[in-house]
Amino acid sequence: MKLVLGRDDLAAAALSAAREAGAEPERVGIKPVHKASRGFVNRSDVDLCELAIVTVLQALAHNKPVLLLPVTTLGRHQHQTLVTLGGLGVADVEGHRVGVRAWSQTTGVWVRGFLTEQYGVDLRKARWTTYEGHHVEGAEDPSWVTRAPEGTKLPADFLAGNVDFGIMGNELPADDRIRTAIDDAQAVAEQWSKDQGFIPVNHVVGVSEAAAARYPDAVLAAYDAMAAVLAAKEETGRPFPLHPVGFEALRGAFTKAAAYALEQDVIPRAVDYDELVERTCTALGVSPARLGG
């Protein structure tokens, strides 16, 4: 049973629990963790894999053998990830060049959703550039999005002024000229979460259908172990958990992300969250309540 998880604490807990449940687990070291997604989704190269939530949505929409294990491995506010070098602001997005690593990158889906929903931006009036393809075979960029030349990277393109805005999270370069395009981004993000009832989720855990059939007890044990680690480390005083666990705890984030993804031509059809719940529970032979439903 092969696992790809970015966090050492979650990986250790999942490995130990799966082993106790009778599996022979192995952690596969792929960094950054998103580079494991393509092989997992399209070829089931590993059995349990950390995935961006938009990859999960795309996988379902394109009929890939991927199931959701409702554990959040990365949650964070996202408004601050829309950045610029100059005096431009969010009101200037239309008509300007905006770079994002991939059209299906979850951070980009969240930010574009904010742009349309909170600021009335017509996404098709911006000039979008992507730098990588999709993790899910069969997914394509919309016709109104341009792919950068092969080998070009967003951080370098952004610093060179080849795009006016960039959407960047972990890949944000260190440069004193960089500023957030949304004024008071942290306060805006916190208010957005207060209004929505959750903090945006980036990464969760996926399980292949084959692994669910072969190792159901180990998969459930890994879920329990990771949930325990996250519960023990959850910061007190937050209005909403940063790492929600369980189907109901993740419903808001997945439902909102699915609506944004459909609006942005990231997925070819609407995805109902209960499809994900039903597929996982059927494969593992459990009720939704067993996984926080």
Side-chain angles (χ1 to χ4, degrees), residues 162-207:
N162 294 325
V163 292
D164 304 300
F165 296 91
I167 299 175
M168 287 180 281
N170 294 337
E171 68 267 54
L172 184 68
D175 192 302
D176 291 340
R177 297 173 296 164
I178 297 174
R179 53 180 296 275
T180 56
I182 295 174
D183 292 335
D184 300 317
Q186 184 63 29
V188 172
E190 290 174 358
Q191 184 60 51
W192 185 90
S193 287
K194 182 178 179 181
D195 294 341
Q196 299 294 328
F198 59 86
I199 293 172
V201 170
N202 261 45
H203 290 185
V204 289
V205 178
V207 177

Side-chain angles (χ1 to χ4, degrees), residues 130-278:
T130 60
Y131 296 78
E132 296 179 14
H134 301 251
H135 295 314
V136 178
E137 290 178 358
E140 300 290 343
D141 288 355
S143 60
W144 39 280
V145 172
T146 300
R147 181 65 56 84
E150 187 72 26
T152 309
K153 300 295 184 183
L154 173 57
D157 226 18
F158 173 70
L159 292 177
N162 294 325
V163 292
D164 304 300
F165 296 91
I167 299 175
M168 287 180 281
N170 294 337
E171 68 267 54
L172 184 68
D175 192 302
D176 291 340
R177 297 173 296 164
I178 297 174
R179 53 180 296 275
T180 56
I182 295 174
D183 292 335
D184 300 317
Q186 184 63 29
V188 172
E190 290 174 358
Q191 184 60 51
W192 185 90
S193 287
K194 182 178 179 181
D195 294 341
Q196 299 294 328
F198 59 86
I199 293 172
V201 170
N202 261 45
H203 290 185
V204 289
V205 178
V207 177
S208 72
E209 289 183 351
R214 185 176 180 183
Y215 313 109
D217 292 342
V219 170
L220 292 169
Y223 166 83
D224 292 339
M226 291 186 287
V229 169
L230 292 172
K233 294 189 175 182
E234 187 66 48
E235 295 180 22
T236 59
R238 285 185 176 275
F240 310 104
L242 189 60
H243 297 95
V245 173
F247 282 128
E248 281 309 306
L250 279 165
R251 181 176 293 275
F254 262 94
T255 300
K256 194 68 169 180
Y260 284 166
L262 183 65
E263 176 186 68
Q264 298 165 23
D265 292 341
V266 175
I267 52 178
R269 67 168 178 88
V271 171
D272 188 291
Y273 183 62
D274 286 320
E275 290 183 69
L276 290 165
V277 175
E278 182 178 357

